[in-house]
Amino acid sequence: ALAEFDINEQEIFCAAVEHWGYQYVDIDSIDEYVLYTDIHTDYDLGYYLVNDAGIYDLKQMGTLANYIDYEAFGRDVRFESDGGFTSLGWIEKC
């Protein structure tokens, strides 16, 4: 089944196996995972969620937005999510 995956699905599978282990990743449910290849640190994760994912309206926050601790926010998200960092980036189970 792995040979039938496109390159993106193969990367997702490899990252999922790296994070959870082969015995916990169902190859038939690869669409339940999301891989962000440009996110490798807590800071990257926090920055992505605040600035790129649109979770917060930074314009509405005004100068308060200058005080966001992206690393701490990303760390908190990491602790609360079903995901983690791999050599390929941040993987998360949806």
Side-chain angles (χ1 to χ4, degrees), residues 37-51:
T37 57
D38 55 344
I39 298 175
H40 295 278
T41 66
D42 289 337
Y43 181 91
D44 293 343
L45 181 59
Y47 187 89
Y48 168 78
L49 292 172
V50 171
N51 291 291

Side-chain angles (χ1 to χ4, degrees), residues 58-82:
L58 296 179
K59 289 181 183 177
Q60 191 174 41
M61 292 177 73
T63 58
L64 183 60
N66 296 331
Y67 297 95
I68 296 173
D69 184 343
Y70 295 112
E71 184 173 8
F73 181 61
R75 182 185 59 242
D76 291 349
V77 169
R78 178 172 46 90
F79 288 151
E80 296 174 6
S81 70
D82 189 9

